[in-house]
């Protein structure tokens, strides 16, 4: 694995006073001398405890985990590699070597798979279902299987991070990073890690329904430029099916009961027409994207030969 002197450990935090001290100690005991706590202006003693345990502490300029990560890497880290984890005690510092080792093997981004060794109670059943659906949808849209795209345990080169076009402020940042790695062709691998239950006395900042919705919307939004057939086609199918159902209702009412529904008939026709148009647009967009990628491959091949 890379020498610890080339690595900064990044811990985004918000109200983690119950766990941050042990978390910082754990990484320092693994030989990492630069532990950066990027704090979201906590209301408790997170920052003071982190400093007392030897961490470097910065307060982010705006709220949200995504903002913390972008700001930390771009403004407060100058080392070659970043090892990112949450400050809630759910990730083991002992897995750091496993996380960093692939960076010496040509990979630029490493994701820790929490499902490889998950402690009982570490994740609710609802969260497990949501994670499973998100990973399947990601694999379907982007053609990559990263096993656990919502994992907060990451290792990456600072250079590769600079190539990611990131804008998410909250918990959608992990999804966005995975999508960008697939889109930009950044060599990415997955390693098994242990995922622990939150220690007693600490509270999660994750809101499953709200943040799950944000994550799904982010995944769908990002499909626009990586899989336009899915992006436009899925909306087209929904519109077409809705129009067909309305049209069937109008037909039954007219032929069976002799009751006309002119407005519903127009709505059904509009839904079907819109659905067909979106499907056609999705097919054309996918064709354009394929041709664009082939052209880029030819240019890269010519450049390599020169």
């Amino acid at each position: 694995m890379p020498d610890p002197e080339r690595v900064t450990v990044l811990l985004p935090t918000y109200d983690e006073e119950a766990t941050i001290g042990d978390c910082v100690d754990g990484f320092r005991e693994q030989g990492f001398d630069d532990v950066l706590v990027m704090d979201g202006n906590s209301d408790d003693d997170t920052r003071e405890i982190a400093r007392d345990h030897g961490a470097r502490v910065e307060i982010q300029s705006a709220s949200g985990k995504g903002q913390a990560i972008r700001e930390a890497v771009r403004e407060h880290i100058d080392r070659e590699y970043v090892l990112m984890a949450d400050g809630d005690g759910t990730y083991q510092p002992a897995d750091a070597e496993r996380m960093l080792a692939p960076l010496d093997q040509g990979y630029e981004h490493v994701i820790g798979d929490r499902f490889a060794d998950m402690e009982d109670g570490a994740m609710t059943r609802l969260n497990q279902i949501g994670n499973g659906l998100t990973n399947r949808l990601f694999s379907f849209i982007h053609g990559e299987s990263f096993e656990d795209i919502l994992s907060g345990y990451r290792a990456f080169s600072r250079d590769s991070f600079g190539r990611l076009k990131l804008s998410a402020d909250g918990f959608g940042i992990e999804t966005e990073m995975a999508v960008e790695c697939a889109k930009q062709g950044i060599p990415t691998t997955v390693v098994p890690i242990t995922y622990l239950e939150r220690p007693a006395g600490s509270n999660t900042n994750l809101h499953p329904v709200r943040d799950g919705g944000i994550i799904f919307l982010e995944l769908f939004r990002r499909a626009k430029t990586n899989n336009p057939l899915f992006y436009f086609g899925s909306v087209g199918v929904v519109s077409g099916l809705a129009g067909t159902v309305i049209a069937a209702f109008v037909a039954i009412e007219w032929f069976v009961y002799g009751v006309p529904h002119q407005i519903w008939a127009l709505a059904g026709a509009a839904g079907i027409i819109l659905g067909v148009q979106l499907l056609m647009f999705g097919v054309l967009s996918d064709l354009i994207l394929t041709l664009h990628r082939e052209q880029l491959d030819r240019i890269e091949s010519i450049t390599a030969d020169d």
Side-chain angles (χ1 to χ4, degrees):
M1 80 175 206
D3 191 294
E5 293 184 354
R6 300 163 63 195
V7 179
T8 291
V9 176
L10 171 60
L11 304 175
T13 59
Y14 181 73
D15 289 350
E16 302 287 5
E17 65 177 7
T19 55
I20 191 60
D22 290 339
C23 195
V24 172
D25 287 344
F27 283 106
R28 288 180 62 83
E29 288 168 4
Q30 294 297 317
F32 298 101
D33 64 333
D34 187 27
V35 179
L36 171 62
V37 170
M38 199 70 188
D39 187 66
N41 202 19
S42 293
D43 296 320
D44 60 11
D45 294 328
T46 297
R47 296 189 296 277
E48 291 75 13
I49 294 172
R51 290 191 185 98
D52 290 342
H53 286 259
R56 181 164 57 100
V57 178
E58 299 288 347
I59 301 175
Q60 63 193 77
S61 60
S63 62
K65 184 178 182 180
Q67 169 65 26
I69 294 169
R70 292 196 308 273
E71 189 172 332
V73 178
R74 293 169 181 172
E75 298 181 19
H76 302 291
I77 295 175
D78 56 11
R79 294 193 175 184
E80 187 176 0
Y81 298 112
V82 178
L83 178 63
M84 185 183 84
D86 293 336
D88 58 7
T90 56
Y91 297 110
Q92 287 192 328
D95 285 329
E97 182 175 352
R98 183 181 297 173
M99 290 291 299
L100 290 165
L103 297 177
D104 275 341
Q105 301 166 7
Y107 292 102
E108 295 186 82
H109 195 99
V110 183
I111 301 173
D113 180 10
R114 298 170 296 174
F115 294 94
D117 183 19
M118 184 179 293
E119 186 177 69
D120 290 340
M123 188 181 293
T124 66
R125 184 60 180 166
L126 177 61
N127 284 349
Q128 289 185 43
I129 293 172
N131 272 262
L133 290 174
T134 302
N135 284 304
R136 290 187 183 92
L137 185 59
F138 173 85
S139 180
F140 177 77
I141 294 174
H142 300 284
E144 296 278 1
S145 180
F146 290 161
E147 305 297 338
D148 187 11
I149 68 167
L150 301 183
S151 174
Y153 210 176
R154 308 275 179 128
F156 50 85
S157 66
R158 197 160 55 91
D159 178 70
S160 70
F161 187 87
R163 283 177 272 149
L164 306 181
K165 296 176 177 61
L166 306 174
S167 60
D169 289 328
F171 286 99
I173 186 66
E174 285 94 352
T175 302
E176 198 173 45
M177 291 172 75
V179 170
E180 280 294 299
C181 282
K183 181 180 177 181
Q184 303 296 337
I186 292 173
T188 303
T189 190
V190 181
V191 299
I193 60 168
T194 299
Y195 189 59
L196 304 175
E197 184 179 6
R198 259 183 172 268
S202 66
N203 298 313
T204 180
N205 295 313
L206 178 68
H207 301 277
V209 176
R210 183 197 68 189
D211 293 320
I214 292 173
I215 289 166
F216 272 104
L217 285 174
E218 181 63 31
L219 194 56
F220 181 76
R221 184 177 70 86
R222 289 273 171 166
K224 177 170 55 179
T225 55
N226 210 41
N227 190 341
L229 180 57
F230 172 83
Y231 180 81
F232 294 105
S234 58
V235 179
V237 168
V238 171
S239 177
L241 287 176
T244 300
V245 170
I246 294 173
F249 165 76
V250 171
I252 292 172
E253 286 285 293
W254 171 254
F255 289 110
V256 176
Y257 303 106
V259 180
H261 293 283
Q262 290 91 344
I263 295 178
W264 280 111
L266 288 173
I272 293 172
I273 293 171
L274 178 62
V276 172
Q277 288 179 330
L278 285 172
L279 281 170
M280 292 175 62
F281 190 74
V283 171
L284 291 173
S285 298
D286 190 68
L287 177 61
I288 292 171
L289 179 62
T290 300
L291 293 173
H292 175 67
R293 286 173 174 166
E294 290 178 354
Q295 190 67 23
L296 287 178
D297 289 341
R298 291 193 188 97
I299 292 173
E300 288 179 1
S301 176
I302 294 172
T303 303
D305 291 340
D306 291 343

